[in-house]
Amino acid sequence: MEGGMFTGIGNGTQLDTKVVQTFQKSFVQVQDILDQNRLLINEINQNHESKIPDNLSRNVGLIRELNNNIRRVVDLYADLSGSFSMSMEASSEAESGGTLKSDGKSSEKRIRSG
């Protein structure tokens, strides 16, 4: 299926397999980070409940790591959104035979007869 087309998005839109693989890779990265965040949150909660000063101090670093992970997830979703938009624009261009400007308006050229 390398280089093939994937039909999806409910309306028959075709996406290149490479685009789908990129999406899947990004979603796996996001899920890995979210799994790590779950572990961090559990450890932060345990440290908080213990009220041991060393554990509470450790939470500062854990919370920083959690915040950095959240930023990474936001960045990955932003990249996914941009990639999805570009692939949908490319798909629309291919279907309409024209090009879309950044404002979303078609720039199809009329062919004059005569």
Side-chain angles (χ1 to χ4, degrees), residues 42-87:
N42 287 338
E43 186 174 350
I44 290 166
N45 285 337
Q46 289 172 356
N47 289 344
H48 182 74
E49 289 171 2
S50 76
K51 308 236 190 282
I52 298 171
D54 286 343
N55 290 351
L56 295 174
S57 295
R58 178 166 162 67
N59 273 0
V60 173
L62 294 174
I63 291 170
R64 282 191 183 122
E65 185 178 350
L66 181 65
N67 285 336
N68 287 334
N69 286 352
I70 292 169
R71 280 189 204 97
R72 286 173 50 205
V73 168
V74 168
D75 290 343
L76 284 167
Y77 276 130
D79 291 346
L80 272 169
S81 176
S83 295
F84 184 75
S85 294
M86 287 189 321
S87 68

Side-chain angles (χ1 to χ4, degrees), residues 86-101 107-108:
M86 287 189 321
S87 68
M88 295 312 300
E89 284 179 13
S91 177
S92 292
E93 270 182 36
E95 288 177 9
S96 69
T99 58
L100 291 178
K101 297 179 185 175
S107 65
E108 291 181 359

